[in-house]
Amino acid sequence: MQALIVIDAQNEFSQNGKRPVPNHAEAITAISKRVEEARKENRPIAWVRHFNKPTESLAFTPGTWGAEFVSGFGPINGHGIEKEFQKNVYGAFTGTDIGKWLKIVDAEKVLIVGFYTHGCVSTTAREAIMEGLDVSLDPEATGACEITNELLGKISADEVRRSALLQLSSMGASITSL
């Protein structure tokens, strides 16, 4: 069975958040379609939410608008197996029981969507690969930000997303779209 893992579909990545992603609205639309599909097929959905540690930036602070799921997102009772997992690191498998939960729900495959493609999505996908899971990613249902480094230069958000997905593809993850 394939489970859907929704990574950090939180307000902080919207245009009004502290970590805006240029394609946020489009990615949210694609994520919504993936959630609808999983619910229709009665597949498990893991909702992963990021909270920053108290010593980190004010983004993703528990109890704030930015840390909340995008409106309409999050586990819904009565729609099959859905569970929220909270993390304070990049990977959803580190410090949570998501790996154990995926075994309980008999998920051998995962479709991973969410934000940042190059951070939490990528780390979670790598962790899932190391757990022996069959990993798929939907490029339209992920988003990244522009990255700049004094020595290395700058790459656009689209190139950051594409690069992360290419790297994961080379590690065995499948790239799929609706």
Side-chain angles (χ1 to χ4, degrees), residues 4 7-8 19 36 42 54 106 115 135 151-152 157 167 171:
L4 176 64
I7 303 290
D8 305 343
R19 300 287 185 269
E36 182 180 307
N42 203 32
D106 292 324
F115 303 97
V135 175
L151 294 175
L152 300 174
Q167 290 173 37
M171 295 177 72

Side-chain angles (χ1 to χ4, degrees), residues 27-154:
I28 289 296
T29 298
I31 293 168
S32 293
K33 289 177 183 174
R34 290 300 191 166
V35 169
E36 182 180 307
E37 176 185 76
R39 286 179 175 157
K40 182 179 178 183
E41 296 172 3
N42 203 32
R43 289 188 284 118
I45 303 174
W47 294 91
V48 180
R49 187 192 319 227
H50 184 83
F51 290 116
N52 273 357
K53 297 173 186 172
T55 57
E56 296 175 331
S57 79
L58 295 178
F60 304 102
T61 301
T64 65
W65 172 84
E68 294 301 316
F69 285 123
V70 168
S71 179
F73 279 28
I76 296 179
N77 292 329
H79 280 278
I81 304 165
E82 299 188 31
K83 184 174 179 180
E84 179 178 335
F85 297 88
Q86 297 180 358
K87 64 180 183 59
N88 62 7
V89 295
Y90 294 117
F93 285 77
T94 301
T96 75
D97 65 349
I98 194 171
K100 180 180 175 182
W101 180 79
L102 289 167
K103 288 178 183 170
I104 290 169
V105 300
D106 292 324
E108 298 168 349
K109 302 175 183 181
V110 293
L111 172 60
I112 302 173
V113 298
F115 303 97
Y116 281 151
T117 315
H118 59 292
C120 298
V121 170
S122 178
T123 303
T124 299
R126 292 165 193 261
E127 289 174 329
I129 290 168
M130 291 188 307
E131 290 286 321
L133 295 164
D134 182 342
V135 175
S136 296
L137 299 119
D138 179 350
E140 286 82 31
T142 69
C145 65
E146 176 182 279
I147 294 179
T148 303
N149 178 276
E150 187 177 300
L151 294 175
L152 300 174
K154 175 171 77 172

